Amino acid sequence: MARLQQLTAEARAQADGGLWRFAERLPVAGPNLVAVRSVAATIDDLVVRAALPAAQMDLGGVAPGGGRIDTAMLTDASELIEQAAVAVAEARASIDAIDRSALVDQVASGVDQLDRVVAQIEPLIGPAQQALAVVPGMLGAEGPRNYLVLVQNNAESRGTGGNPAALVLLHVDDGAISIAQQASSEDFQRDRPYPVVELDPATVALYGDKVGRYMQDVTMTPDFAESARTMGAFWAERFGTPIDGTLSIDPVALSYLMAATGPVGLPNGDVLDSGNVVSTLLNEVYFRYPEPAMQDAYFAVAAGAIFDALTSVSNPRQLVEQATRAIDEGRLLYAPSSPAEAELIAGTRLTGALPTDNAETTLIGSYVNDITEGKLNYYMDTAVSVATDVCTVTADITPTFTVTSSLTSTLQPDQVWGLASYISPARFFPKGVISTDLVLYGPVGASFVSATVDGVPVAATPVEHLGRPAVKINVINDPASSHAVTAVFSGTAGADYGPVDVWHTPMVRETPVTIEAPGCAAQ
């Protein structure tokens, strides 16, 4: 960086002498010399006011260490970004002021190259300014914060992941992060006579009011903001602690993050790592500890150990990459109470909010809700396919969207009677049998046409939820069985539809997604 600064300073000086300025008045050569001087000065400004200060920052200070993140470092970064923003804006003004029509190819190519570099930087400045204005506050730089973390259990599926029976309250104060409290479903009132908070009538029509009567069911809906609000009401009623934001994570996302932390030891001698944490937390614990209290104790110890590792990670880049993977798969969600934070993440996958139109994405949804009681979804595999003619029909023809979700039980018949009682209590369904309420969502503004299970027509009543038609269809899976549920939706003739995408319940294992959209750009 020191050598770069030396070179840009020399270039600027050489292009700014009296003889150079005199030559700028000459025809033909003049405009080119003006452009070279402008480019040299612009690059030098960018190096001095942005690149050099950035290079002097110790990014290791942003990494969590000993349970704390240095908020002062973030404040310094915010000041640097503000300074860089001014330099980039002035660079853009200088570039745009150059008359490129008068330039020879060699000079024009240099101006174009600088233009491309600045154009790459410009889209990053605004989000960085916005983030750095908010993040220190999120980390308690302006006062302590409390964050409620729902650990969704994919072995008992719910719309955005699973039964959120394990809860962690994080306390953050000036970058210091600690676990303030842990709780489980056993701490909350069951079978309330009425919801703990007023629910969206469409949510009740589709999922029932149990979303607000049982805390284990708050995540049935794909609307994570409503889930967070409902869980917050449960928490406030039981404990009274104010909540500044609600996060959701599942053990699969934890396995991703543990790729950055490395193995984590527990007091009983167990060692959890990215390869075994899912099977341990979602299956093996129920065989080893038959009593719910013992299971909750194990989950609490494991959560504490993993948390300690995450707040002392030595490779923040790898941690961010793994967190991004979890966000992209819908395994890491966040609902803030602060409007500024909500604005910061609006429109991102982190919110879990389904798009409100089809402009950028024509979204199809497939959500799995287990109603068996137990942890049998550890043995459930899913796949989703969508076929549409939206890019081939003429403007006067209504496009169709056909979504097929398959549910496959990998549980073999000879495994059934060896299942732990907590995995398959057999209270409402025979042991090893999985009952699923599958909810399929069409595009915004579409209409439900028909539904089948394994090709046989079934009755389904559509409900408009989140601006979309949605249908709920129950599927019963015996051990080692597979069923395919298909729903057809019709769009609007002549309407604009963005690229087709699919969001679905994150399961224990990957859900393959295929999209057939002839005539559309590659999906």
Side-chain angles (χ1 to χ4, degrees):
M1 185 57 64
R3 177 61 175 156
L4 175 62
Q5 184 184 17
Q6 177 186 356
L7 291 172
T8 59
E10 289 177 358
R12 183 173 195 162
Q14 291 177 12
D16 198 27
L19 183 59
W20 189 287
R21 293 264 184 175
F22 175 79
E24 287 180 359
R25 303 173 187 173
L26 299 175
V28 182
N32 288 276
L33 295 174
V34 170
V36 171
R37 175 169 54 82
S38 178
V39 167
T42 298
I43 295 175
D44 189 48
D45 281 342
L46 288 173
V47 168
V48 171
R49 298 163 62 186
L52 184 61
Q56 293 172 341
M57 287 189 65
D58 177 14
L59 296 181
V62 182
R68 189 176 187 278
I69 295 175
D70 187 354
T71 56
M73 174 66 73
L74 294 173
T75 300
D76 292 342
S78 179
E79 294 174 356
L80 169 62
I81 288 294
E82 294 295 334
Q83 180 177 310
V86 174
V88 170
E90 292 179 358
R92 169 53 61 198
S94 296
I95 294 169
D96 290 346
I98 297 173
D99 181 7
R100 302 190 201 186
S101 65
L103 304 182
V104 297
D105 291 344
Q106 294 88 335
V107 176
S109 66
V111 174
D112 291 343
Q113 185 177 3
L114 178 59
D115 192 349
R116 289 193 298 270
V117 171
V118 172
Q120 289 177 334
I121 298 172
E122 286 173 312
L124 307 178
I125 294 292
Q129 288 176 300
Q130 188 180 22
L132 287 168
V134 171
V135 170
M138 294 175 66
L139 292 171
E142 301 161 4
R145 293 285 193 97
N146 292 316
Y147 296 100
L148 185 61
V149 182
L150 317 183
V151 184
Q152 299 207 44
N153 189 327
N154 313 88
E156 187 176 0
S157 291
R158 298 290 187 269
T160 51
N163 175 357
L167 305 165
V168 178
L169 184 69
L170 297 182
H171 183 73
V172 184
D173 189 1
D174 194 24
I177 310 170
S178 60
I179 292 180
Q181 184 179 351
Q182 291 182 263
S184 75
S185 57
E186 299 295 322
D187 294 307
F188 299 89
Q189 178 183 348
R190 296 170 177 266
D191 194 19
R192 301 173 55 88
Y194 52 86
V196 68
V197 69
E198 185 177 354
L199 301 171
D200 179 354
T203 299
V204 175
L206 195 55
Y207 299 98
D209 68 354
K210 62 182 178 180
V211 171
R213 293 193 299 115
Y214 295 86
M215 64 80 63
Q216 301 97 316
D217 291 329
V218 299
T219 50
M220 294 185 78
T221 167
D223 184 2
F224 183 67
E226 185 172 29
S227 298
R229 181 173 60 87
T230 307
M231 190 63 242
F234 272 108
W235 188 271
E237 179 184 72
R238 177 65 179 85
F239 299 112
T241 314
I243 302 299
D244 296 294
T246 303
L247 295 100
S248 170
I249 194 169
D250 65 17
V252 179
L254 286 178
S255 75
Y256 297 165
L257 300 181
M258 290 182 72
T261 68
V264 173
L266 304 186
N268 69 344
D270 285 0
V271 177
L272 300 179
D273 58 36
S274 60
N276 68 12
V277 66
V278 173
S279 60
T280 300
L281 297 183
L282 295 184
N283 188 248
E284 294 169 14
V285 68
Y286 302 113
F287 289 96
R288 294 170 59 184
Y289 305 106
E291 296 300 323
M294 298 172 69
Q295 297 162 11
D296 289 343
Y298 189 92
F299 293 143
V301 170
I306 295 171
F307 171 79
D308 287 344
L310 289 173
T311 53
S312 301
V313 68
S314 61
N315 189 339
R317 176 170 180 166
Q318 186 178 16
L319 185 65
V320 170
E321 289 173 348
Q322 296 298 333
T324 301
R325 178 184 178 188
I327 292 170
D328 290 343
E329 295 180 8
R331 299 183 185 276
L332 186 58
L333 305 170
Y334 178 50
S337 59
S338 160
E341 293 172 28
E343 182 181 357
L344 175 64
I345 64 174
T348 70
R349 190 74 171 88
L350 184 61
T351 67
L354 277 61
T356 56
D357 57 41
N358 304 310
E360 294 187 9
T361 301
T362 301
L363 189 69
I364 305 293
S366 175
Y367 296 96
V368 174
N369 279 293
D370 175 76
I371 62 169
T372 312
E373 185 194 49
K375 302 294 183 286
L376 283 168
N377 282 129
Y378 182 79
Y379 304 95
M380 176 72 80
D381 283 345
T382 60
V384 184
S385 65
V386 174
T388 179
D389 57 2
V390 67
C391 293
T392 57
V393 297
T394 57
D396 58 337
I397 301 296
T398 300
T400 61
F401 302 86
T402 302
V403 53
T404 299
S405 290
S406 66
L407 305 175
T408 301
S409 172
T410 65
L411 181 68
Q412 299 305 305
D414 61 0
Q415 295 177 289
V416 172
W417 297 110
L419 291 173
S421 59
Y422 206 76
I423 291 177
S424 185
R427 286 209 306 164
F428 303 110
F429 298 90
K431 198 170 185 68
V433 172
I434 307 173
S435 179
T436 303
D437 278 346
L438 179 68
V439 184
L440 301 177
Y441 285 76
V444 172
S447 301
F448 171 68
V449 177
S450 62
T452 62
V453 176
D454 297 331
V456 178
V458 295
T461 302
V463 173
E464 184 173 335
H465 186 225
L466 305 176
R468 304 165 175 274
V471 289
K472 180 172 67 178
I473 299 169
N474 183 257
V475 181
I476 301 293
N477 277 92
D478 292 325
S481 69
S482 183
H483 298 288
V485 180
T486 298
V488 179
F489 300 93
S490 64
T492 303
D496 292 329
Y497 289 93
V500 177
D501 196 8
V502 174
W503 286 5
H504 57 80
T505 297
M507 306 294 285
V508 176
R509 289 168 292 280
E510 180 184 1
T511 296
V513 173
T514 58
I515 298 174
E516 297 181 11
C520 297
Q523 298 293 320

